Amino acid sequence: LDSSDHKPTLVPWLPQMDDAAAGQSPPRTGRSTVEAGSHKDIVLRQMSLANDAIVRSPEGKTRRLVPEEEQKGNSRAQAYMSCLLLSFLGQVAMFGPVQGSMYTVAIKDIQSDMNASLALIGLSLSMFLWAAAIFPIPTGPAADRLGRRPTLLFGLACFCLGSFLCAASTTIGELIAWRTIQGLGYAVCSVIPSCVVSDLVPRSHKGRYVGVIWFYIFLGPGIGPLLGGFMTEYLGWRSMFI
């Protein structure tokens, strides 16, 4: 501070936040409240500021200055959470393609086990696809009204329930009905990832996130026949639904 008799003024250019908004109490012993009377003092203060310093504006409002290391740590944590969220959304969108491609491998075994015609087996496949094609239409408005999370949980519950009942079915009629429930669940799950990306991701990054989700969607038909053939050969066709 310069040696003139006037009272020093507090730093005027910091963001205006009160104690409650900043989540901090007023300065205590061991923390510095930075004052400045000239531009030189402000520059020196920026260069030598302690990590936990609290600064106060002329209006008496305070905020904590976050150290650069903490900012970098927060950025890394946010990137890690973004990767986890993107991976989860991609796997949710991949359920249907994996299940559909696995099912086609086991058609002959299902026909033999249930003594059903090939036309009825084809109907069980068609009902899954019809449900997956129709139910995204009401899913979008439901997600807007009820929220993303409840809608996604409903879709996951339908998909898991339909899969379990398909594994337990004893007639082709039951299999067709449960495959429809399974398709309903997948229809809901296929819509929510795009909604979440639209809600959370900035416009400049949406293309990157959508591209990763579609990578998972097309990865499903690539690995589905391999998994379906292995499971049908060694564990039986019902293992695909568990």
Side-chain angles (χ1 to χ4, degrees):
L1 298 176
D2 45 331
S3 58
S4 58
D5 295 333
H6 68 80
K7 290 186 178 181
T9 57
L10 299 175
V11 178
W13 40 266
L14 295 170
Q16 305 300 310
M17 297 178 65
D18 53 19
D19 293 339
Q24 300 289 342
S25 59
R28 298 187 296 270
T29 303
R31 292 189 174 183
S32 58
T33 300
V34 181
E35 299 180 348
S38 66
H39 176 72
K40 179 180 178 181
D41 295 324
I42 295 175
V43 174
L44 292 175
R45 176 194 128 312
Q46 289 177 308
M47 297 174 60
S48 60
L49 189 62
N51 284 346
D52 61 346
I54 288 182
V55 292
R56 177 175 293 175
S57 66
E59 291 77 8
K61 299 179 181 180
T62 61
R63 68 180 291 268
R64 179 175 178 267
L65 293 182
V66 181
E68 183 179 355
E69 292 78 7
E70 186 176 343
Q71 291 179 348
K72 291 181 179 179
N74 292 338
S75 298
R76 287 193 294 268
Q78 291 175 358
Y80 179 70
M81 294 303 297
S82 297
C83 291
L84 288 180
L85 176 63
L86 187 58
S87 177
F88 172 74
L89 294 176
Q91 293 176 45
V92 167
M94 191 174 64
F95 285 164
V98 170
Q99 183 57 239
S101 57
M102 290 174 65
Y103 187 81
T104 57
V105 176
I107 284 180
K108 186 174 291 187
D109 293 76
I110 298 173
Q111 181 184 12
S112 176
D113 189 25
M114 292 192 169
N115 194 24
S117 65
L118 192 60
L120 290 177
I121 297 296
L123 180 60
S124 66
L125 179 60
S126 295
M127 291 305 296
F128 174 85
L129 296 176
W130 272 104
I134 293 174
F135 284 103
I137 298 175
T139 297
D144 292 335
R145 175 171 297 184
L146 303 177
R148 313 306 192 208
R149 186 184 179 206
T151 307
L152 177 60
L153 292 177
F154 172 77
L156 291 174
C158 289
F159 188 87
C160 294
L161 178 63
S163 298
F164 177 79
L165 293 175
C166 283
S169 59
T170 56
T171 65
I172 187 62
E174 293 178 357
L175 183 62
I176 292 173
W178 307 142
R179 284 283 288 175
T180 305
I181 300 298
Q182 193 183 38
L184 164 63
Y186 169 64
V188 175
C189 293
S190 66
V191 173
I192 300 302
S194 299
C195 295
V196 174
V197 169
S198 179
D199 292 340
L200 301 181
V201 180
R203 182 176 182 180
S204 59
H205 292 79
K206 283 183 181 179
R208 183 186 311 171
Y209 279 70
V210 172
V212 174
I213 290 177
W214 276 97
F215 162 76
Y216 279 96
I217 292 176
F218 283 101
L219 181 64
I223 65 176
L226 179 62
L227 292 176
F230 177 83
M231 298 177 73
T232 302
E233 181 71 21
Y234 296 101
L235 303 175
W237 66 269
R238 296 180 188 272
S239 64
M240 295 186 307
F241 298 103
I242 300 177

